[in-house]
Amino acid sequence: MAEIVTTETGLDRALAVLKSGEVVAIPTETVYGLAGDATNGDAVLRIFEAKGRPRFNPLIAHVGSIEMATGIALFDPLSLKLTEKFWPGPLTLVLPARQPSTIHPLVTAGLDTIAIRMPQGFGRKLIDAFGRPLAAPSANSSGRISATSADAVAADLGARIPLIVDGGATQVGVESTIVKVEGGEVHLLRPGGISAAEIEQATGRKVLRRQGGAVQAPGMLASHYAPHAGVRINADEVRPGEALLAFGAERAKGSELAVAVLNLSETGDMREAARNLFEHLQRLDRSGAAAIAVERVPTDGLGEAINDRLTRAAAPRDFPQNRT
Ligand code: TXA
Ligand code: MG
């Protein structure tokens, strides 16, 4: 089983693990990440193996400084402006990868672009001390619910990784927003911890969403974030045998018969709802219910990311290629 250390005492231990080409689960402000040296092919392979992640699904390179970022990618002025506004923080930029580069090609899965983000807190401190970018997907088995606590990481990946750094529950609770600037326009590839409205405010430009459901980030496949129980979204009533994931003050019909009930936010606070999302899904999953009914959650602001994760938690799972 993985050794668990704290952010206060774990920096040296985490550094030693990274230097040996091994992987370490670390807290970031969004979700826990499974980090490895992005320049070391063995370390990157271990990340894919520990998660059971298909190799065609590229990883985010986490950086500690703008210099580190510009060393591995080519920045346009609008992307730079986004870094000034939102880094360190829950925003990932997809940019043309610099060639040649110290980043191992497995990180980008052979694409000519690279996803980069500068995390807050322990992650950034670790990268600064390590001096190289860290490849880090969310610290969960591929296709499963992302982890927002060290316990959740241990339950899922504990048998397959040597070290977990415990930084408590993560602040944001959903993954970073992923954008790509193309032709001077901001394209949203994955909604996340920074809302489209915040990006529009910072840039004065409309954030564009692709129509027609073409996969933008290779990991954005239909089924993801799947608990073991089935998931039914926008539920107005609870069916026999279901648990209820509630939102706000009013309950769905039949809620008194639910196997278990957890509320994302009784006051309708979207930040609180995002923080609770994955942990509540996991807890309801453990209730033994056959399915989880989810009440309607507003779609504006952070609600776009929350609804995105819920929709994919509810998607059919019978296509192996949908598992990431
Ligand atoms: O908040 C986060 O972003 C967390 C923390 C740990 O930083 N990380 C995370 O990584 O969510 P992951 O691997 O679970 O999701 C990264 C997504 C995947 O959907 C992947 O396909 C996409 O980013 N991605 C990576 N490189 C890309 C690229 N060059 N172009 C488009 N999408 C890319
Ligand atoms: Mg993930």
Side-chain angles (χ1 to χ4, degrees):
M1 275 307 275
E3 178 190 352
I4 302 186
V5 294
T6 67
T7 44
E8 286 83 43
T9 59
L11 187 72
D12 288 343
R13 186 76 189 92
L15 276 175
V17 166
L18 289 173
K19 282 181 187 153
S20 74
E22 262 295 348
V23 297
V24 50
I26 58 167
T28 83
E29 74 279 38
T30 56
V31 298
Y32 275 71
L34 184 60
D37 180 351
T39 69
N40 178 337
D42 289 337
V44 179
L45 256 183
R46 286 199 171 98
I47 296 174
F48 281 98
E49 276 163 10
K51 280 183 63 84
R53 177 171 172 128
R55 307 263 171 83
F56 62 76
N57 190 5
L59 308 177
I60 297 173
H62 293 67
V63 298
S65 65
I66 284 287
E67 293 68 40
M68 199 181 269
T70 54
I72 60 178
L74 303 168
F75 279 79
D76 58 277
L78 189 50
S79 294
L80 262 187
K81 184 168 178 178
L82 287 169
T83 68
E84 282 158 20
K85 185 75 192 169
F86 296 111
W87 279 8
L91 181 73
T92 295
L93 297 165
V94 171
L95 297 156
R98 216 179 250 290
Q99 289 298 348
S101 160
T102 54
I103 301 295
H104 195 277
L106 267 173
V107 172
T108 53
L111 298 175
D112 53 11
T113 55
I114 184 164
I116 307 186
R117 122 172 161 85
M118 188 190 291
Q120 288 168 7
F122 181 83
R124 185 169 180 209
K125 214 164 108 183
L126 181 63
I127 299 162
D128 281 343
F130 189 53
R132 295 180 198 170
L134 294 181
S138 51
N140 54 279
S141 297
S142 189
R144 293 289 167 200
I145 299 171
S146 303
T148 54
S149 69
D151 282 350
V153 179
D156 184 354
L157 299 177
R160 279 175 272 160
I161 61 176
L163 185 68
I164 299 171
V165 181
D166 186 351
T170 60
Q171 282 297 303
V172 179
V174 291
E175 298 87 341
S176 61
T177 303
I178 306 182
V179 298
K180 183 180 190 182
V181 172
E182 250 177 338
E185 312 224 71
V186 186
H187 296 266
L188 181 67
L189 306 191
R190 175 177 77 180
I194 287 176
S195 69
E198 286 175 273
I199 295 172
E200 288 179 345
Q201 207 165 26
T203 59
R205 285 162 211 248
K206 190 126 191 64
V207 166
L208 304 179
R209 296 163 177 85
R210 300 283 159 105
Q211 303 298 316
V215 169
Q216 279 312 300
M220 295 289 284
L221 298 170
S223 173
H224 205 114
Y225 309 104
H228 297 278
V231 174
R232 201 165 60 78
I233 53 176
N234 300 327
D236 297 319
E237 89 290 337
V238 180
R239 297 176 187 163
E242 283 184 335
L244 177 65
L245 183 59
F247 176 85
E250 278 175 38
R251 285 299 59 75
K253 252 183 273 152
S255 65
E256 62 288 347
L257 296 176
V259 173
V261 182
L262 288 174
N263 199 322
L264 288 171
S265 170
E266 297 199 5
T267 60
D269 177 340
M270 299 305 275
R271 286 185 189 281
E272 184 184 16
R275 268 201 301 276
N276 284 332
L277 178 66
F278 292 132
E279 206 249 344
H280 279 14
L281 276 172
Q282 268 151 352
R283 278 171 58 191
L284 291 178
D285 205 17
R286 286 197 295 269
S287 74
I292 302 169
V294 186
E295 290 179 2
R296 242 166 253 284
V297 177
T299 54
D300 56 323
L302 268 180
E304 185 172 5
I306 295 173
N307 277 283
D308 168 78
R309 307 306 188 263
L310 287 171
T311 302
R312 284 186 286 129
R317 298 158 193 180
D318 32 355
F319 307 106
Q321 69 271 27
N322 277 353
R323 286 294 180 76
T324 67

